[in-house]
Amino acid sequence: MDTEIDTDDKTSEILLAASNHDLETLRTLLRTGSANVQDADTGFTSLHAAIAACEPEEDGPSEKVNGQANGNGESDTKDTAKAEEGAAAKTLQLLFQNGAIWNDLDANDETPGCLARRLGLTVLYNMIVEAGVRAELLLNRLDGYALLGDADESDNGEDEEALDITEGDGEEVPELVDSQAHEIALEAPEDEGEDISAPITEPVLSNPDVNSADYLASGLIFTEDRLLDEDKNGVMMAWETNNMKRTADILTPCEGLRVLNIGHGMGIIDEFFRSKLPSSHHIVEAHPAVLQRMKEDGMYRRPGVTVHEGRWQDVLPKLVEQNVLFDAIYFDTFAEDYKALKEFFGEYVIGLLDPAGGENGEGGRFGFFNGLGADRQVCYDVYTKVVEMDLFDAGFDTEWEDIQIPNAQDPGQWEGVRRRYWVLDNYRLPSCRFLT
């Protein structure tokens, strides 16, 4: 594909070199220029330009000899496309080594990964995903070091400004798709070795302007098919029912197990757990309106049910101290970020899940609502890999099951909801148990 780019300035020269997959010229330009330039009209970054160049031309009239198409036709086209994608892959590698941001948006609201996926460029798409994974893992490590070094300087220990790292050109940091994520670009190495310089992005809330304290203080709107906060942010919706039923089937494959659920919400998964006749059923819920509804629905009076009123951060340490163990644990909270989930399985699941529990003593299972980055496929794929790696580091083996989401793109399903927290056709259901 021929990409028309004005070459009047350095930005356009970099974009043109990326589009032409001209490594020598691009390498020279990046010695004094940034890999994170963007075209003023299309919003293309250098990554977008390199990927868009692989888009096939529309088929034109073919020359024929004796009634047959001249040349090898489809075979030649495939070979050309494969070679073009290979050249683009080398270009992407060079750009990542020079700090290219993996998830910048263009004027069409597409990240480079979105563009590669739409064009069916699997090799390039996978490179974008791996770059995102590296970036996120690096952020997690740096954030941990910052917390250790600035414990006395930050009230909550989570001040991201403690990381004395800024965008290389001093420009405003771009958002992660529709979310208010923080991008951090590191200075690129001179060589073309292992990439440690890709920008890094912290997973954020599905609704970034909602935090846990505000949510717990807000009123709630209960309807037959959804639970909304007073700003009409979706807390839980009926379309999640199939996912939760399957989760309950996996976590509680037989009767008589000990169950812990964090976040009651509409009560969908707790009803499925109850149908498995657990020997004990603990529910941790912090929102006063949900607790009141649980009382009205008789949840407090059900045999074997123990309702813990409060935040899980306050409730679980007491259960750990009491050496209470469970065969099945599920986590689905609202207005909390990935740090909360990571703290949950890294600090508490390891003390609450019975390694000798479950069906036939094979070990208990842990699950969670896997909605990180669910506003677009590339982010979902990145964060699914990140959480699997972090779970492994915490001592868990994770199995995934794909579940189709019917009518996921039906706008009527989200009518009256302030912002969609799910746009994908496929849900990756996680179930975890201790490594053996």
Side-chain angles (χ1 to χ4, degrees), residues 356-405:
E359 188 178 26
N360 302 320
E362 80 283 7
R365 287 184 178 271
F366 155 63
F368 56 93
F369 178 72
N370 182 30
L372 287 167
D375 48 3
R376 63 185 66 216
Q377 189 67 54
V378 64
C379 295
Y380 193 65
D381 289 343
V382 166
Y383 298 137
T384 296
K385 288 178 177 288
V386 168
V387 71
E388 182 173 14
M389 291 180 181
D390 284 338
L391 282 163
F392 183 83
D393 286 345
F396 294 99
D397 180 45
T398 306
E399 296 179 358
W400 302 94
E401 181 173 317
D402 290 337
I403 298 179
Q404 292 296 309
I405 306 297

Side-chain angles (χ1 to χ4, degrees), residues 96-131:
F96 283 133
Q97 289 166 352
N98 283 270
I101 295 175
W102 67 276
N103 56 352
D104 263 340
L105 290 173
D106 64 11
N108 197 37
D109 194 43
E110 287 188 315
T111 68
C114 298
L115 178 59
R117 184 170 181 267
R118 177 168 60 82
L119 297 180
L121 303 170
T122 304
V123 172
L124 304 186
Y125 179 80
N126 289 337
M127 289 183 69
I128 298 291
V129 170
E130 293 304 319

Side-chain angles (χ1 to χ4, degrees), residues 325-329 349 351-355 364-366 396 432 434:
L325 295 177
F326 298 94
D327 303 292
I329 299 176
V349 175
L352 294 169
L353 190 64
D354 191 348
R365 287 184 178 271
F366 155 63
F396 294 99
C432 315
F434 287 115

